[in-house]
Amino acid sequence: MDKIELINVSKEIKKKKILEDINVKFEKGKIYGLVGKNGSGKTMLFRAISGLIKLSGGMVVADGKVLHKDISVLPSLGIVIENTGLYPEFTGFENLKLLSKINKKIGDKEIWEAIKRVGLDPADKRSFRKYSLGMKQKIVLAQAFMEDPEVLLLDEPTNALDEETVNLIREILLEEKEKGKIIIIASHSREDIEYLCDEVYKISNGRINVKRGGESNEEMV
Amino acid sequence: MEVINSIKMQSSLLIRKKGFQISFLLLFAYAMLISVIYAYMQKGSYTTEMIHPAMISGITSDVDYVWFFCRYFPFMAVMPAGFSFINDINTKTSVLLKAQMGEKRYYMGKLVSVFLITFITFTFPFFIELLLNVIIFPFEGTRAATGWEAYSLTYVQYANNHLMSRLFYNNIYIYYIISTALTGIFAGAGAVFTVGISSFGIKYKAFLFLPFYLFIYLAENISKYIISSYTYIDTYITIFDIIEGKSMAYYLTLIVLLMIMGIIFTAINIRRNETR
Amino acid sequence: MGKYFFLIICGSMSNILNIFFYLDITDINSDFGTYFIMAASLAQPTFTSGHLVLLMQSMIPMFAFQIVYGVYIYKHFCCASVYYFSRQKNRTRWFIGESVKIIKYTAIFFASYILTAIAVTIGVTGDSKVVGELCIYTFLYFVLYNFVFCMLINLVSIFTGSQNGIIITYGIQMASVFVLNVFNDKVQLTGIPLKLFKLNPASNLVVSWHSSSGKLGKYINMFNIDFDINVSLIYFFVLSLIITGVGGFIINKIDVTLENKEEKG
């Protein structure tokens, strides 16, 4: 996928504007950062891009195809939303296998490797409900990476992770960027934004009002 | 003392929940509707031909549609408080509460408050109905809702089949209050049983309607092998029921069984969670 | 396979329990058709409260089935909904696929139920002349009725949570049986009341209340009213199409929420 364009994207819920006239372009081979206060609309923007919600106005165009008109979801997407889990009664491997059956793009081997890549044991027999917070975050990241998607939307990807794993995830994201993926991360971590992002957008009250690109992103966070 | 605080706290929480408020309002509306219907039906009647004020009730078996209320009974018994434990687990407030009051007090408070709130839901509307009936209808009314004279020999013969028939002969008002309280106790026991089942980690709240429902279904159908008489649970939870073959011992056994199973299941799962 | 086996056992047990609890199995002086009507098809001879209560009691296995399969589609909206639906390219097609699975499980359950009833009927009456039409109509009625209500529970649960889905749907079913009581000496089954009777899902469910000009006529036609057995089949089929169509439309339009309705306090 070469680019994703948001044109006048708006979302209203019970007469409250959650997103308002968002105009943004995301291109391949770059990592974009999204910063903003709690409740500013970051997660809602991710849901809008991923096709999980219907827009009140505007459109999301992915390589010329309009979301909810030509396509219902982005054709190749890996997503992590903060505080959303997987099926609690299944193991990490079983969870990913279940999700992989939807598009049938990958087999057990790819799932195994995705779990190992984030530093977990694919043979772990514990169910998801017994995982620690960090382990849950890792397995959710593994499900985002496992099908080698062209677009990655990651909401607080390094949440609850130890320093070693944070470095690991950063390396993975840089590898994915080299492969030409479109990567958008939302984070409160200044270090993540500084280290990873080529461009940073600040979202406030549902509007993107500032954009910074280049080396220095300090004033954004 | 601390257990009482736990009970008070959890009860006050349950009262604020929609489950309790909606079930209480529904039962209250149903009880008032019955009183209004009978007030309308008896319009223009002589006072001596009127129904005894204590024999007009939403849960008297003489009322035509009480049998259908009884079909909703297993669902309604779960609504006020049956989901409280599973809600605490899902919202993780159980962790906070256990940290505040200790695990034992939490569980004891939980089971007692569930029982109490369900008991209140199934008794207070009908107690208020009795109060209202006593105000609206004359004391001189002596008929049963079926039309028979409550003190006639014919009715007395049938009234022998009431649970606590002696109490009925001595004082209909106290009979009404205690029978209604027994219904509330049965509903409360059903709620405790449901909470016990929910401690097994049931994923969907919808499944919690099944245990009490199936318990009643089985209890009804195997009763003929236990007390040599097939009786619907309806004949126990309604008052002034004249169907023969009822057994107070059987009824109390069901109540105790429900409570014990609820407590045992909860205890088993406390142990299980400790060893995980 | 384990799931199918469990369904078959439950279907069979449901019928056995219903026969054991509600049928006088000593009444063996009847032919296949007459006994089967009682053993399988919820037949009740009047609309008194007693008989309607028996009808509701006989429907308990159906309600248990509906509770279990009433969360079959809904469960995908509980946890991992974001990760599941971000991969679903066509939600409507997915929904129809899930609906077909629900029909499959419903068919297995009630096939087992009916086959058990057939076996018991032959065993008790000794009459092995199976009235195939009767069995098929009963099977189709049960499958379509339960499919409609399973789907309704799923759709309502998506918006309100599973406990409210059950309360509302069970309430509708109970109310539809409850209102039949008016036909017990209060209202005659003619004119507009008869039309309303024909629209009631509960009355459409009971095979023996229908009429048929064919050989089925001697086993059913309990009330001698114009209530064609084929029209009810079409009625349930249309209801099934409507609920699937509406469901497919709604599924596509709703926002996938992050909250798990089962976890709401």
Side-chain angles (χ1 to χ4, degrees), chain C residues 83-101:
Chain C
Y83 308 120
Y84 194 86
F85 289 106
S86 63
R87 288 173 163 85
Q88 281 297 346
K89 295 199 173 32
N90 190 329
R91 269 191 236 170
T92 304
R93 201 193 305 170
W94 166 81
F95 180 82
I96 291 170
E98 296 295 286
S99 309
V100 168
K101 285 181 193 168

Side-chain angles (χ1 to χ4, degrees), chain C residues 6-262:
Chain C
F6 184 70
L7 264 177
I8 289 167
I9 296 293
C10 287
S12 186
M13 282 305 301
S14 301
N15 183 249
I16 289 171
L17 282 173
N18 267 357
I19 292 173
F20 189 62
F21 289 150
Y22 301 119
L23 199 58
D24 182 1
I25 57 172
T26 57
D27 179 18
I28 57 172
N29 294 322
S30 35
D31 54 51
F32 180 93
T34 312
Y35 194 87
F36 179 84
I37 283 277
M38 293 185 291
S41 68
L42 313 172
Q44 297 298 332
T46 70
F47 297 118
T48 58
S49 38
H51 281 128
L52 291 178
V53 164
L54 264 177
L55 173 62
M56 286 191 218
Q57 294 291 93
S58 309
M59 287 169 78
I60 285 175
M62 285 190 191
F63 297 141
F65 177 85
Q66 286 171 21
I67 288 175
V68 173
Y69 281 91
V71 298
Y72 191 76
I73 291 174
Y74 164 71
K75 69 184 179 199
H76 294 293
F77 289 85
C78 285
C79 41
S81 55
V82 167
Y83 308 120
Y84 194 86
F85 289 106
S86 63
R87 288 173 163 85
Q88 281 297 346
K89 295 199 173 32
N90 190 329
R91 269 191 236 170
T92 304
R93 201 193 305 170
W94 166 81
F95 180 82
I96 291 170
E98 296 295 286
S99 309
V100 168
K101 285 181 193 168
I102 293 181
I103 293 186
K104 180 176 77 173
Y105 296 128
T106 316
I108 292 170
F109 182 87
F110 287 104
S112 174
Y113 185 96
I114 298 291
L115 287 170
T116 307
I118 291 172
V120 170
T121 305
I122 293 174
V124 169
T125 62
D127 180 6
S128 57
K129 285 193 209 122
V130 175
V131 182
E133 271 181 39
L134 193 58
C135 303
I136 290 169
Y137 275 111
T138 309
F139 169 72
L140 287 172
Y141 277 19
F142 283 3
V143 167
L144 291 173
Y145 177 91
N146 284 282
F147 170 70
V148 166
F149 280 99
C150 279
M151 294 296 286
L152 192 62
I153 294 170
N154 274 292
L155 289 173
V156 174
S157 299
I158 288 169
F159 293 100
T160 64
S162 62
Q163 80 271 27
N164 294 332
I166 296 295
I167 289 167
I168 291 167
T169 322
Y170 185 75
I172 292 170
Q173 293 180 81
M174 287 297 98
S176 61
V177 175
F178 170 74
V179 300
L180 293 174
N181 192 236
V182 302
F183 296 111
N184 182 41
D185 299 332
K186 292 183 187 75
V187 175
Q188 296 302 308
L189 268 172
T190 51
I192 292 175
L194 178 61
K195 287 194 171 77
L196 292 171
F197 178 81
K198 288 180 186 178
L199 285 173
N200 185 329
S203 43
N204 279 281
L205 181 63
V206 183
V207 170
S208 56
W209 292 351
H210 290 77
S211 57
S212 172
S213 51
K215 66 173 182 182
L216 272 185
K218 69 172 183 167
Y219 302 115
I220 57 176
N221 211 11
M222 220 172 232
F223 301 124
N224 278 315
I225 51 170
D226 173 28
F227 193 21
D228 196 303
I229 198 168
N230 292 308
V231 172
S232 286
L233 209 54
I234 296 169
Y235 169 85
F236 279 132
F237 188 67
V238 166
L239 273 183
S240 307
L241 285 177
I242 291 172
I243 198 115
T244 311
V246 167
F249 178 77
I250 291 172
I251 285 291
N252 224 12
K253 295 290 173 203
I254 57 170
D255 293 344
V256 174
T257 57
L258 303 181
E259 59 183 11
N260 182 345
K261 286 202 171 49
E262 291 302 296

Side-chain angles (χ1 to χ4, degrees), chain A residues 74-103:
Chain A
L74 293 180
S76 178
L77 171 70
I79 187 169
V80 171
I81 298 280
E82 194 185 16
N83 290 331
T84 52
L86 297 173
Y87 299 103
E89 66 270 30
F90 298 123
T91 66
F93 184 85
E94 284 165 353
N95 261 293
L96 267 56
K97 186 154 181 176
L98 220 80
L99 292 172
S100 72
K101 280 183 183 170
I102 296 171
N103 289 323

Side-chain angles (χ1 to χ4, degrees), chain B residues 200-231:
Chain B
F200 282 102
I202 305 291
K203 199 172 168 190
Y204 302 105
K205 289 180 195 171
F207 293 169
L208 289 179
F209 286 117
L210 272 176
F212 191 38
Y213 202 35
L214 292 176
F215 179 89
I216 289 176
Y217 174 71
L218 287 170
E220 282 175 343
N221 290 297
I222 61 175
S223 64
K224 57 184 167 186
Y225 302 106
I226 298 170
I227 56 168
S228 306
S229 170
Y230 170 65
T231 47

